[in-house]
Amino acid sequence: KLLWATVTETNNDYFTIERSLNGYSWELIGTVDGAGNSSITRNYEFIDTELPSHYSLFTTQIYYRLKQTDYDGKFTYSDFISVENCYDSSPLTIHPNPSCDIITLGINGNKDNQIEVTIYDVLGRELLSSQITNTKSEVDIGSLSKGMYFLRAVNTQIKFIKQ
């Protein structure tokens, strides 16, 4: 649910809501009519209900921005905002994140004793693999260089990837 407000509006035809998975490539996901001319505070909202077609389990942030267009076609863009883990419904927790040596994994509601944990780099190369048997376990990542990684946890009940 995206919320924004204007204090005044002059010549405001409409807002275009745009979404990005990387902060560079943007797609139009909806429009909201503007008030035209107004000197009072106006509140607006838009609900993004569609999962992007090119969304993957590696996506942990989604970016949004507004394009405000006047009746004469002139437009301006807002700054973008990011929403983290907006499609993250897994019971997997990683603490601390970020970390440089040991991470603790918490998996709630796990009835399957064995969980395969794999860590990938941003290019999708497998770097570490481990089997854990508890709902709370430690994984040593001290051998990895500084950077961003993806952790995949899989068993008969869970299939999840987290950044």
Side-chain angles (χ1 to χ4, degrees):
K1 185 174 191 178
L2 303 170
L3 305 169
W4 69 98
T6 61
V7 178
T8 62
E9 295 182 31
T10 304
N11 198 27
N12 181 18
D13 191 6
Y14 60 93
F15 296 96
T16 304
I17 298 89
E18 297 180 349
R19 175 180 56 212
S20 173
L21 299 180
N22 59 21
Y24 302 103
S25 303
W26 296 90
E27 65 179 322
L28 181 145
I29 60 169
T31 59
V32 174
D33 289 335
N37 297 300
S38 175
S39 59
I40 62 170
T41 299
R42 300 254 181 203
N43 295 304
Y44 295 92
E45 75 175 54
F46 180 83
I47 299 175
D48 183 8
T49 58
E50 296 293 321
L51 187 64
S53 61
H54 49 288
Y55 176 82
S56 77
L57 291 175
F58 287 108
T59 304
T60 58
Q61 286 191 327
I62 295 182
Y63 303 92
Y64 294 94
R65 72 178 179 186
L66 293 174
K67 178 181 177 183
Q68 184 277 315
T69 303
D70 291 339
Y71 289 119
D72 61 7
K74 292 182 182 175
F75 59 89
T76 57
Y77 286 101
S78 70
D79 291 334
F80 66 82
I81 61 165
S82 67
V83 178
E84 291 190 39
N85 298 319
C86 57
Y87 296 107
D88 181 356
S89 61
S90 171
L92 176 69
T93 59
I94 302 173
H95 295 287
N97 189 6
S99 179
C100 60
D101 50 19
I102 302 289
I103 56 173
T104 301
L105 303 178
I107 302 178
N108 300 322
N110 177 44
K111 295 183 177 106
D112 187 345
N113 298 7
Q114 191 118 1
I115 300 168
E116 180 183 334
V117 174
T118 309
I119 296 178
Y120 299 90
D121 66 12
V122 295
L123 298 176
R125 295 179 294 210
E126 183 179 318
L127 302 176
L128 292 174
S129 186
S130 177
Q131 296 285 329
I132 60 176
T133 56
N134 300 317
T135 57
K136 192 168 195 174
S137 297
E138 291 184 345
V139 176
D140 184 355
I141 60 168
S143 64
L144 300 177
S145 302
K146 272 187 168 182
M148 181 171 53
Y149 297 94
F150 298 95
L151 182 141
R152 179 177 185 247
V154 177
N155 71 7
T156 58
Q157 299 173 350
I158 298 170
K159 182 177 181 183
F160 186 76
I161 297 178
K162 191 161 186 165
Q163 181 177 348

